[in-house]
Amino acid sequence: MSLSYAFIGLLVIFFIIFPVSADLKVHFLDVNEGDAVLLQADGKNMLIDAGTANSGNLTKYYLHSLGITTLDQVLLTSPEEGKSGALTNILNTTPTREYFDGGWNVSDGSYRDVLTMIDEENISHTTVRKGNEVPFAEGVNISIISSEPDGNTGAETLIPLITYGNIRFLLMGKEQTVPGNVSAQILRVADHGSRQGTDPGFVMNVHPDIAIVSSGDGNPDGNPNQNTLNILQTVGAKFMRTDIDGTITISTDGTIYSVGNLRMEPEITLSLVSVVETRAPV
């Protein structure tokens, strides 16, 4: 059985057995030590980052398994390879209506390949900065709350805060903190859960219910770091990691949310793991 067909069959089982009445679904994709998040709402699909070049087929097959043949928006939060590496693969096979990024001045690498394809395909290209909002679906607010220099490229990393009703998702990049008092039920942990990427005071302020880290299996940096896990445990957050839990899906109607996950097995088949819990906001 091909990877794409395995995705399709098992995802159908997932949604039939565990129907969730939700207006917004947020998928944290299992793309090894990279980042890729899919938003679905009001019949629209938005991809935030795409993962590394090596994970391009994983991202592409996941989109196609959900029947996604067109992306309404793509937001790239950093030119680094862990976020932009797979994007040309995605854009080459999935028509995209609008593309947003930080307008970085980077002379080479996967980001330049993305810009070339955006130009060749005549995709609408908008530069966003701190304080801007990225349009998506009605009722879903995606605001850029900060943009800090990335440690590898020196370019500013966009940090999206996604709000739907009373539920908020904060997608950190490599930076430890953002200015101001920001709280969110779901936190994507900074820098793949590294020790230097997690600030105790900031995590206490955000006070997440669910903390998600994109981590590669057997990655050389040893992420997530045990100190990071301890910090998250201190604030009472349930910690989930893509290298163990697989793709993590949060479904919400703006008042409550449910958490599920799907994992790839060594035989490259996808299996349903669980629907973890349903929570209302604090």
Side-chain angles (χ1 to χ4, degrees):
M1 180 181 290
S2 70
L3 178 58
S4 57
Y5 287 130
F7 268 107
I8 293 169
L10 287 161
L11 284 170
V12 168
I13 292 172
F14 174 76
F15 289 114
I16 289 175
I17 296 177
F18 298 100
V20 177
S21 177
D23 302 311
L24 171 65
K25 293 180 180 177
V26 182
H27 310 247
F28 295 85
L29 276 61
D30 180 10
V31 289
N32 298 315
E33 192 109 347
D35 289 307
V37 176
L38 171 68
L39 309 185
Q40 293 185 292
D42 196 25
K44 295 183 178 180
N45 301 288
M46 178 178 187
L47 186 66
I48 302 178
D49 303 324
T52 65
N54 290 337
S55 65
N57 285 336
L58 295 174
T59 307
K60 179 174 66 176
Y61 288 142
Y62 189 80
L63 295 177
H64 291 179
S65 74
L66 295 176
I68 296 174
T69 57
T70 300
L71 288 167
D72 296 281
Q73 288 91 9
V74 167
L75 169 63
L76 186 64
T77 65
S78 169
E80 67 166 274
E81 203 274 339
K83 300 180 189 295
S84 65
L87 196 48
T88 53
N89 189 351
I90 304 305
L91 296 174
N92 189 46
T93 57
T94 312
T96 300
R97 296 191 174 97
E98 296 181 282
Y99 168 79
F100 302 83
D101 69 14
W104 303 288
N105 183 22
V106 178
S107 60
D108 56 13
S110 54
Y111 174 61
R112 298 307 305 179
D113 295 335
V114 170
L115 293 184
T116 298
M117 179 160 286
I118 292 293
D119 184 61
E120 291 176 349
E121 299 296 327
N122 294 315
I123 300 172
S124 172
H125 182 183
T126 302
T127 297
V128 290
R129 295 280 194 272
K130 179 181 178 180
N132 292 154
E133 294 185 1
V134 181
F136 177 45
E138 183 176 357
V140 181
N141 178 269
I142 304 172
S143 57
I144 305 301
I145 63 170
S146 184
S147 53
E148 299 293 338
D150 176 86
N152 292 331
T153 65
E156 292 181 335
T157 300
L158 307 178
I159 305 173
L161 176 65
I162 304 164
T163 304
Y164 185 69
N166 295 323
I167 307 300
R168 297 202 284 183
F169 302 76
L170 180 60
L171 307 185
M172 299 298 288
K174 285 187 175 296
E175 57 293 313
Q176 292 189 35
T177 65
V178 293
N181 295 318
V182 181
S183 62
Q185 289 92 346
I186 295 92
L187 171 69
R188 183 177 71 187
V189 179
D191 197 26
H192 310 291
S194 73
R195 182 183 182 91
Q196 64 270 22
T198 304
D199 178 83
F202 171 71
V203 173
M204 184 69 71
N205 186 51
V206 176
H207 207 276
D209 295 334
I210 307 291
I212 297 172
V213 62
S214 295
S215 183
D217 184 24
N219 71 82
D221 296 324
N223 295 331
N225 184 271
Q226 185 60 48
N227 183 66
T228 297
L229 300 181
N230 294 341
I231 292 171
L232 295 167
Q233 185 178 26
T234 298
V235 301
K238 178 177 179 60
F239 187 76
M240 301 185 74
R241 44 193 287 185
T242 57
D243 61 331
I244 293 176
D245 299 303
T247 292
I248 299 157
T249 304
I250 314 284
S251 300
T252 181
D253 62 1
T255 301
I256 61 173
Y257 64 87
S258 62
V259 185
N261 58 307
L262 293 164
R263 184 172 57 217
M264 287 190 65
E265 300 299 334
E267 298 80 9
I268 318 184
T269 59
L270 200 65
S271 62
L272 171 69
V273 178
S274 64
V275 169
V276 180
E277 58 192 317
T278 300
R279 292 191 182 187
V282 176

